[in-house]
Every structure is written in C-alpha cells, then in structure tokens.
Amino acid sequence: MNQLEQLKHYTTVVADTGDFQSIQRYSPEDSTTNPSLILKAVQKDTYESLLEKTVRDNKGKTTEEIMDRLLVAFGVEILKIVPGRVSTETDARLSFDTEGSIKKGRELIALYKANGISPDRVLIKIASTWEGIRAAEVLQKEGIRCNMTLMFSLPQAVACAEAKVQLISPFVGRIYDWFKAAEGACWDEAANSGLKDPGVQSVTAIYKRLKAAGSKTQIMGASFRNKGEILALAGCDLLTISPKLLNELDSSFAQVLPTLTTEGLEQSAPISISEADFLLALAMSAVAS
C-alpha cells in the first residue's frame, strides 16, 4: 500500500489545486482552491474554453463579478469529481472588512446555489484576521460554512474556534519559509525538518489546544513544502496537498504512522480570547504579523 493510501487511514486527504483534471487520479475527499491556483489553471489550454464561456456568459458584468463566477465555475467542476466539499476564497482585499466579507460570502454561496450546488458542499475561505473571524462567525450562524485561511499562529486558531467556524487552515510551508529566511545562512535544514519543522510544530500546538478544549472546529494543515511535513502531521483532521506532493506520496511505499492523536490529552480550559489579546499576540509574533 502506498503512502497516500496509508495516510487516508488517519487523515482526510484534500487536493490543493484548481486543476480539476489532475484530481481524479488521487481520489481526495475534498478540494481547496485560491485565486492564485485558479490563475495558474486558466493559463493552461485545457481550461481556455471554461474561461471563455464564463466571460461570454457574463458580458456586461464587472471584472470582479466575472472573477467570482470563474472561481465558482471551477468549484462546480471540482464538485463533479470529489465527493465532499470545495473551498472558494473571498477577495484578499476584504481581509479587514467584516461587512464586505459577509457580503462576499453570501454572494459566492448564491452563485453556487444558482448552479445547483448545496451550501453544505462549499467552504468560504476568509482570512484569519479579527475582522475576518467576525465575518465567519456571522456566516456560520446563517449556515454558510467557512474555511479560515492565512493562519500562522495559535491565537488565530483559538479565536476561530471560539467563533465556532467549520474549519481552519494553518499554513505549514509559509511558516517554514519565514523561519528559513529569518535564519538565512544559519538555517540548518536537518535540524528543522520533520517533527522539528516550525510549521509542523505550529499546527501540532493548534491541534493539541483545540482538541484538549473539545472544540469541534476542524484542523486542516495547508501550504506544504515537502512530503516530510505532511507525514509529520499524519492524524490531523484534514491535510490539503498539492498534486506534486500527492504524486510523491502515491509513488512511495514506506510506512506511514499517525503522529497526531488525541490520546493522552488532558481536558484544558475553554477556548476564549479577547480582541485586545488577539491583536497583542499577533503583533508580538513576527511570523504571524
């Protein structure tokens, strides 16, 4: 059994791509997208017709409206392949705009509904700023499930869990990138790999804190740089993985064992954080701020 199949015994595997034709081979449960992944996909000849159709069908609409419809068009095609959910991201310029994020989330869900897609198959991706989390809290109460992205710290995760969001996506690779760049020539790759990877350690801390508090918010490790980071988080609720790394897992037959479990975790204090504490913690964390 290859590593990908073994990993699926411990973790829900999610495809991190807008290239829906590459998804079928790996049979993921869900799929995540973001504007940069969709941009990468539409530059391929394979998707030229989908782009042209979206532009043609929405003639007269603003560029922003056409972009939203293109994101949803890709999401609709992806949902024909995966049995679970697709994540569609809101405009990054709304990251500090609570009302704007709420409005955009509602608009994206309305577009999916117009295409016959049930809201429970869609996750709206919103930045894990204080304003973004407040927007997600409102949307969740309306039955619109959210995936909190751009997450680099435990306080962000705590605030999201307190807001009872559906899912959070702490970034592994971008944390790794930051620490590697900060260390410069002093960076020791061997000493900062696997379980010692700073991105892996961040997600592990988030996992333990939320699980110990009994939070129902799902944790999905994201933004991986190498296969070792993925294997070091086997057992996380979900892991969203690029086609390149899915292929590496699919091609290897080494043993995979769970590293994240709830065994031995003692019940901890309830999840809670104030706006002041959130902003202070974020300001004090260079990698997060």
Side-chain angles (χ1 to χ4, degrees):
M1 186 182 296
N2 63 40
Q3 287 188 311
L4 181 57
E5 292 304 317
Q6 293 180 69
L7 183 64
K8 288 179 180 179
H9 285 291
Y10 309 118
T11 293
T12 297
V13 170
V14 180
D16 192 19
T17 180
D19 182 2
F20 53 82
Q21 292 192 348
S22 71
I23 295 174
Q24 288 178 300
R25 174 181 173 186
Y26 305 108
S27 302
E29 180 69 21
D30 295 350
S31 181
T32 58
T33 68
N34 63 48
S36 62
L37 292 176
I38 299 300
L39 175 61
K40 185 177 179 180
V42 296
Q43 294 179 66
K44 296 183 177 182
D45 293 341
T46 308
Y47 300 109
E48 186 176 356
S49 61
L50 183 59
L51 174 60
E52 290 178 347
K53 182 179 187 303
T54 303
V55 173
R56 185 174 60 251
D57 290 349
N58 294 282
K59 191 174 182 180
K61 289 185 169 61
T62 66
T63 301
E64 181 181 345
E65 290 173 323
I66 294 172
M67 287 168 60
D68 284 347
R69 283 157 177 76
L70 183 62
L71 293 175
V72 170
F74 269 84
V76 169
E77 293 301 318
I78 288 170
L79 288 173
K80 294 176 183 177
I81 300 169
V82 301
R85 306 166 297 188
V86 69
S87 291
T88 297
E89 192 160 337
T90 55
D91 193 325
R93 291 170 294 186
L94 298 172
S95 297
F96 299 95
D97 182 347
T98 298
E99 291 305 317
S101 295
I102 292 171
K103 181 173 181 287
K104 181 63 69 177
R106 289 169 177 163
E107 288 173 352
L108 290 171
I109 287 296
L111 289 173
Y112 272 109
K113 284 183 175 179
N115 282 275
I117 303 296
S118 172
D120 62 6
R121 298 199 68 199
V122 181
L123 295 174
I124 300 300
K125 290 177 74 175
I126 299 174
S128 300
T129 57
W130 185 259
E131 294 83 359
I133 295 166
R134 300 283 67 81
E137 186 174 33
V138 172
L139 292 171
Q140 287 281 159
K141 290 176 181 177
E142 296 178 3
I144 297 175
R145 301 175 182 184
C146 298
N147 171 356
M148 305 308 292
T149 187
L150 295 172
M151 179 172 290
F152 307 94
S153 67
L154 179 58
Q156 288 175 287
V158 168
C160 289
E162 185 177 15
K164 294 181 170 57
V165 302
Q166 179 70 31
L167 183 147
I168 58 174
S169 295
F171 282 4
V172 179
R174 293 195 187 184
I175 293 174
Y176 164 91
D177 290 344
W178 188 91
F179 278 96
K180 185 175 181 177
E183 289 287 331
C186 297
W187 178 260
D188 185 336
E189 187 65 40
N192 292 284
S193 62
L195 296 176
K196 297 178 181 179
D197 183 301
V200 169
Q201 291 181 336
S202 178
V203 176
T204 299
I206 288 170
Y207 179 91
K208 290 182 177 179
R209 176 68 179 98
L210 267 58
K211 296 300 181 185
S215 171
K216 300 300 183 184
T217 293
Q218 296 175 302
I219 302 161
M220 179 170 72
S223 178
F224 293 106
R225 294 295 177 263
N226 56 67
K227 189 177 72 169
E229 291 176 333
I230 296 168
L231 297 177
L233 291 173
C236 196
D237 295 334
L238 307 94
L239 296 174
T240 183
I241 308 170
S242 68
K244 177 181 178 293
L245 294 177
L246 285 171
N247 183 62
E248 288 186 23
L249 291 165
D250 192 55
S251 303
S252 174
F253 292 84
Q255 187 177 26
V256 175
L257 295 173
T259 53
L260 287 185
T261 72
T262 56
E263 291 182 16
L265 283 182
E266 295 184 7
Q267 186 173 357
S268 68
I271 291 290
S272 180
I273 189 168
S274 68
E275 180 179 3
D277 287 342
F278 175 91
L279 295 175
L280 178 60
L282 212 62
M284 291 178 68
S285 171
V287 64
S289 63

